[in-house]
Amino acid sequence: MSGTIIDGKQVAAEVRGEVAADVAAFVERYGRAPGLATILVGEDPASAVYVGGKQRACKEVGLQGFDHRLPADATREQVVALIDELNADERVSGIICQLPVPAHLDGVELTNLIAAEKDVDGLTVASAGRLALGLPGLRPCTPAGVIRLLDHAGVELQGTEAVVIGRSNLFGKPMGQLLLQRNATVTTAHSRTTDLPAVAARADVLIVAVGRAQMVQSDWVKPGATVIDVGMNRLEGGTLVGDVDFDAVAPVAGAITPVPGGVGPMTIAKLLANTVQAARMQAGEEPK
Ligand code: NAP
């Protein structure tokens, strides 16, 4: 037996196609495209690549992109003034403040200044609260992307035993909430979990977001389980690998995401989808 490979590139392309159609329909209704504003403070090369990718992706689906760059020594007041301006700008449907910000700034504080209705990363206290209470709102992109992958793979979540390894605010916690909303029975494991391999081996759906290269081995996985690998780790020499030992686990799993080409492409696709969703909600439409 060998697991089906869940092709994140293909599913992300589907999502981008849907977003492009939704953008065109929005333009028909309102005479303008939704817009995404990115804020990059400083010249961190990796962050500049991420922001450039997001801006390029906006153009590809017809969204307006507003690319704001501030110098590394920008003051808190300058960044706050920019966020205030973007919160008030009707052309801007979504705002992201690329993290990490330089050490003299507080990324969590700045993120929380983004208006909830424009929080397309879904990371503010307001968005986390709305998710926890099951209220409509903008959901964090990577866990939302994982739900889409699971749906694409035909995985029935209701009643299933799901284990998420990792409890970060960025991924693990919202992932658990989204699985609960879909009526899975959810365990969230972390660095203090006792006998992690045994906990993981209970899972029908195992989702791993730790940041440790190839940690999950074949004896951690129930035969036939769906395995979603969120980890992105560079080995010496530069090869990108996940938190799951793909070659060892794929023969045991029922379905598995590769790294690269699994969860990674879903994050930007879901950011684009959130931007259209935000624009619709700002226009008074029902959330889709
Ligand atoms: P994070 O904030 O560092 O959180 C890591 C989590 O893993 C923590 O909850 C930690 O537990 C847990 N952990 C650490 N060592 C462990 C161990 N030995 N056994 C069990 N759990 C352990 O990381 P993150 O932001 O969630 O990201 C995790 C990984 O996903 C990274 O590789 C990141 O690059 C990747 N990622 C990818 C995408 C994407 O778009 N594909 C998006 C987000 C993240 P404690 O809470 O107990 O410390």
Side-chain angles (χ1 to χ4, degrees):
M1 186 178 78
S2 193
T4 308
I5 294 175
I6 302 172
D7 184 348
K9 273 197 244 167
Q10 184 207 324
V11 184
E14 277 174 22
V15 172
R16 285 174 185 235
E18 291 162 14
V19 172
D22 286 347
V23 170
F26 189 93
V27 173
E28 284 271 303
R29 292 200 293 283
Y30 302 103
R32 65 176 175 89
L36 175 67
T38 53
I39 302 172
L40 176 61
V41 187
E43 277 111 41
D44 176 59
S47 295
V49 169
Y50 293 142
V51 166
K54 290 168 189 176
Q55 285 294 336
R56 228 179 5 265
C58 277
K59 294 201 172 53
E60 283 166 14
V61 295
L63 290 167
Q64 294 187 76
F66 303 97
D67 186 351
H68 292 273
R69 311 253 167 156
L70 293 175
D73 61 357
T75 62
R76 175 187 173 278
E77 286 65 32
Q78 282 174 299
V79 187
V80 170
L82 176 57
I83 294 173
D84 286 346
E85 184 190 317
L86 297 172
N87 279 336
D89 187 337
E90 285 184 1
R91 298 168 307 157
V92 173
S93 320
I95 305 169
I96 50 177
C97 181
Q98 184 68 42
L99 301 178
V101 289
H104 67 285
L105 298 170
D106 178 345
V108 173
E109 188 224 346
L110 293 171
T111 298
N112 274 305
L113 295 175
I114 295 171
E117 67 272 19
K118 297 193 177 187
D119 174 26
V120 283
D121 265 343
L123 296 178
T124 60
V125 169
S127 295
R130 297 187 77 80
L131 173 58
L133 297 181
L135 297 171
L138 295 162
R139 308 308 192 206
C141 302
T142 308
V146 169
I147 292 286
R148 175 68 184 248
L149 288 177
L150 291 169
D151 286 343
H152 171 86
V155 176
E156 172 62 54
L157 288 172
Q158 179 150 311
T160 211
E161 187 96 31
V163 174
V164 181
I165 311 182
R167 57 173 163 181
S168 67
N169 293 334
L170 179 68
F171 182 80
K173 284 180 194 158
M175 188 73 249
Q177 297 282 355
L178 289 174
L179 290 164
L180 267 182
Q181 270 184 9
R182 298 290 294 269
N183 297 322
T185 302
V186 182
T187 301
T188 304
H190 46 78
S191 68
R192 316 290 168 87
T193 296
T194 304
D195 199 358
L196 184 58
V199 172
R202 295 204 305 253
D204 300 308
V205 175
L206 177 63
I207 301 176
V208 191
V210 170
R212 287 172 67 113
Q214 299 169 321
M215 178 180 82
V216 172
Q217 292 296 319
S218 58
D219 58 341
W220 296 39
V221 175
K222 184 199 268 192
T226 301
V227 179
I228 304 289
D229 188 354
V230 184
M232 295 204 293
N233 312 284
R234 292 258 170 224
L235 297 179
E236 266 180 49
T239 307
L240 184 67
V241 297
D243 291 345
V244 175
D245 185 338
F246 183 87
D247 291 340
V249 170
V252 180
I256 185 167
T257 57
V259 177
V263 174
M266 295 304 293
T267 300
I268 289 188
K270 277 290 177 185
L271 174 68
L272 303 173
N274 270 354
T275 303
V276 180
Q277 173 88 324
R280 281 208 206 95
M281 283 161 40
Q282 286 154 37
E285 296 184 19
E286 285 296 311
K288 204 173 169 186

